[in-house]
């Protein structure tokens, strides 16, 4: 949500959980006139041949790939205020913002007058990344980020007047994490279980530990915590990850937005790089009522946020831990894979214009039978940042992981780095010194479950080619990038800890109905029937289908004409084929994805329907207040999502 693009909220939808019966005639025309050269077995050729940009974009008539993974009929773009899924599928809401989770929670009050104490017991706002932890065949724990809130819906004053102290506290409780048990009903759909033992809210007021190499550093110390090892709260919780030892990773993204200054405050150059300013840019108004957020009083508080936080969801009394070894930046998600040698590798993008893609490699291997050994595995390891190389104009090339290890790669006292803690707290500055490639807002990263393949969505970047420090480069080839792209890399020798990789672009989003050729038309696997902009959410299922969620411009006009509301697509990473699977209601983005253990239910987040005065009353309809919602998608025949 960095910046103001389509990521910040504003206002209204209807609902419905429908298959697009009206659209069935339209969807059969769906499959590609234009195919990406990466499709139909050409992917490998592209990787190896050093094909130029011109070649990629010129070859728009590759042979039909015939994906063996995509077994649903594409849905057309839509501007309807509905959640649309393919024929043969159905979607229903699981839970909405404000539903009761904890004992004593009242029902949601649409008036906006309910006190903070109510919100503390209810589902938070703006559900984002989420993970499902099975508790049995028909029983699970869902852990969901609540990235931020929609002030215009949160308060009776619509965010148009100054916060009261209780307003600010209510906003704190609308943020954070919601954990709740769910049970499958006889009809195959799931329901939240209010008051269940593992239900929990973690908010801006929850105690946290700070661990790893940066814990205790002077920049992390405050009046309230002179040791720099504990803090209150997590917020800006964008997407997520999960570990093989059963913990949840929540990623702190736009934490700088919550700070402002009541009086004099001059950000350091490092704080400027992290986007801190004295203005309360988005009118969060936290600092007048919680002095932690007042930079004039507590200039170190922002250093205590912007981390990946590990949570043990099975113990409601556990204290979340901020893992500083993974670096401080606007973490989008935490894409974890177990390397061939058992070490843990976590990829994470820094979602800001011109920032970078990172990788953490643990020192020790994960030990499946030793919970104690794994408990602090993420405190010891090496953080790396990516450099993408390319011949001029090439959309593929080699790449290198640059270690952000104190004393190496220029990370020395002469350059302002006096310890590993300095490197981690100021990972962005370290990345620049080391020579990282500036990227077009890295959002989610996904690791293929079986192949040596990793992908990252690069959502857009209006500064690319415009600001001097963000010139065009291989994986970021477009000036004023409106549409976004997805970069893919393969680690050398299948080793996720290796220094080298090979990269290419899996898809370049664009609008082929406005442009016949060139980058603005998009890559050849894009066509009038699957075009999109603003790729953001990204995840593989166990069969290797790649799911892509968008958080783009939903105006359906001008550059974005014909793209409709934000959507979810499914891609075959082997053929390059991309097919639209779902469309969200007005003003929302689709973000957050997880499956039931048997993969017969797909959970997808609808975040901020009705943003920006888009006139949504989703999901309840009838002019009701729009609410962020987690949807459940099932096949009519009860089969595995995406299967034939
Ligand atoms: Fe929270 Fe970058 O999206
Ligand atoms: Ca958003
Ligand atoms: Ca996102
Ligand atoms: Ca986004």
């Amino acid at each position: 949500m960095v910046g103001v693009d389509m990521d910040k909220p504003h206002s209204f939808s209807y609902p419905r959980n429908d298959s697009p019966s009206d659209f069935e005639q339209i969807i059969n025309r769906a499959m590609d006139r234009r195919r990406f050269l990466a499709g139909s077995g050409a992917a490998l050729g592209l990787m190896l041949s050093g094909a130029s940009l011109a070649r990629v974009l010129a070859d728009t008539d590759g042979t039909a790939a015939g994906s063996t993974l995509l077994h649903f009929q594409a849905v057309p773009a839509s501007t309807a205020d509905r959640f649309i899924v393919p024929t043969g599928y159905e979607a229903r809401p699981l839970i909405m913002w404000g539903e009761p989770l904890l004992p004593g929670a009242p029902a949601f009050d649409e008036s906006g007058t309910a006190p903070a104490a109510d919100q503390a017991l209810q589902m938070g706002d703006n559900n984002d990344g989420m993970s499902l932890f099975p508790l049995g065949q028909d029983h699970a724990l869902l852990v969901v980020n609540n990235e931020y809130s929609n002030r215009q819906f949160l308060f009776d004053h619509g965010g148009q007047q100054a916060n009261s102290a209780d307003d600010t506290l209510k906003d704190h409780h609308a943020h954070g994490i919601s954990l709740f048990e769910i049970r499958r009903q006889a009809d195959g759909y799931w329901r939240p279980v209010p008051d269940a033992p593992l239900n929990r809210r973690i908010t801006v007021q929850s105690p946290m530990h700070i661990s790893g190499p940066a814990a205790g550093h002077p920049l992390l110390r405050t009046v309230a915590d002179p040791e720099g090892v504990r803090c209150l709260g997590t917020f800006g919780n964008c997407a997520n990850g999960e570990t093989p030892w059963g913990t949840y990773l929540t990623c702190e993204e736009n934490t700088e937005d919550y700070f402002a200054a009541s009086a004099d405050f001059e950000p350091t150059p490092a704080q400027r790089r992290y986007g801190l300013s004295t203005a309360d840019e988005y009118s969060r108004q936290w600092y007048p009522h919680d002095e932690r957020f007042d930079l004039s009083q507590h200039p170190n508080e922002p250093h205590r946020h912007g981390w990946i936080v590990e949570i043990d969801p099975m113990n409601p009394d556990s204290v979340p831990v901020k893992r500083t070894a993974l670096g401080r930046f606007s973490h989008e998600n935490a894409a974890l894979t177990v390397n061939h040698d058992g070490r843990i590798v976590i990829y994470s993008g820094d979602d800001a214009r011109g920032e970078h893609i990172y990788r953490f490699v643990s020192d020790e291997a994960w030990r499946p039978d030793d919970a104690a050994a794994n408990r602090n595995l993420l405190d010891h390891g090496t953080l790396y940042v990516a450099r993408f190389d390319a011949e001029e104009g090439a959309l593929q090339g080699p790449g290198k992981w640059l270690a952000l290890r104190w004393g190496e790669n220029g990370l020395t006292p002469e350059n302002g780095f006096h310890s590993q803690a300095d490197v981690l707290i100021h990972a962005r500055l370290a990345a620049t010194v080391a020579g990282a490639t500036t990227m077009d807002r890295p959002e989610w990263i996904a690791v293929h479950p079986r192949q040596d393949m990793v992908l990252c969505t690069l959502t857009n970047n209006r500064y690319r080619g415009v600001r001097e420090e963000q010139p065009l480069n291989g994986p970021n080839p477009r000036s004023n990038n409106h549409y976004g792209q997805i970069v893919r890399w393969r680690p050398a020798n299948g080793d996720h800890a290796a220094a080298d990789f090979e990269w290419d672009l899996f898809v370049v989003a664009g609008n082929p109905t406005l442009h016949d050729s060139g980058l603005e038309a998009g890559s050849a696997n894009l066509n009038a029937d699957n075009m999109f902009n603003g790729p953001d959410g990204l995840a593989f299922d166990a069969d290797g289908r790649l799911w892509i969620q968008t958080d783009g411009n939903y105006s359906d006009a001008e550059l974005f004409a014909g793209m409709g509301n934000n959507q979810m697509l499914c891609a075959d990473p082997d053929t390059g084929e991309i097919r639209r699977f779902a469309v969200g209601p007005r003003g929302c983005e689709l973000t957050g994805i997880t499956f039931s253990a048997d993969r017969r239910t797909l959970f997808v987040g609808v975040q901020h329907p009705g943003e920006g005065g888009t006139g949504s009353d989703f999901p309840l309809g009838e002019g009701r207040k729009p609410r962020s919602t987690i949807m459940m998608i099932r096949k009519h025949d009860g089969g595995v999502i995406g299967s034939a």
Side-chain angles (χ1 to χ4, degrees), residues 1 7 332 351 441 443 459 534 536 551 589:
M1 89 182 193
D7 294 323
E332 181 75 18
D351 182 5
R441 294 188 54 199
E443 301 248 31
T459 200
D536 189 338
D551 173 22
E589 72 174 88

Side-chain angles (χ1 to χ4, degrees), residues 109-116 118 154-157 166-167 170 625:
D109 176 356
E110 275 193 25
S111 73
T113 57
D118 289 6
L154 184 62
F155 305 124
D156 57 336
H157 55 71
D166 196 68
D167 286 345
K170 184 178 179 181
K625 181 172 270 192

Side-chain angles (χ1 to χ4, degrees), residues 1 80 86 106 203 241 272 277 295 306 313 321 386 407 422 433 444 447 484 556 573 639:
M1 89 182 193
T203 78
R272 281 187 204 285
S277 73
L295 294 165
V321 183
D422 277 347
V433 169
W444 293 44
V447 184
D556 197 45

Side-chain angles (χ1 to χ4, degrees), residues 193-262:
V193 185
D195 308 345
L198 296 179
N199 289 13
R200 180 181 185 186
R201 283 301 320 280
I202 295 171
T203 78
V204 180
Q205 297 293 336
S206 303
M208 310 263 145
H209 290 314
I210 303 172
S211 77
H217 187 277
L219 284 172
L220 267 53
R221 299 177 194 162
T222 64
V223 174
D225 171 30
E227 294 178 1
V229 294
R230 59 184 65 86
C231 69
L232 283 184
T234 185
F235 46 91
N237 304 90
C238 188
N240 63 312
E242 61 239 13
T243 68
W245 53 93
T247 60
Y248 181 76
L249 302 174
T250 185
C251 298
E252 297 181 337
E253 190 189 18
N254 298 298
T255 56
E256 69 280 2
D257 291 352
Y258 296 89
F259 293 88
S262 64

Side-chain angles (χ1 to χ4, degrees), residues 51-109:
S52 70
L53 173 61
R55 181 179 160 203
V56 171
L57 295 171
D59 189 343
T60 57
D61 59 352
T63 51
S67 170
T68 55
L69 278 176
L70 308 184
H71 298 289
F72 60 89
Q73 288 187 310
V75 302
S78 167
T79 56
D81 195 28
R82 310 194 303 188
F83 191 94
I84 298 170
V85 291
T87 302
Y89 285 80
E90 185 179 349
R92 298 183 188 172
L94 171 72
I95 191 169
M96 298 173 278
W97 163 46
E99 289 199 57
L101 294 181
L102 300 175
F108 181 71
D109 176 356

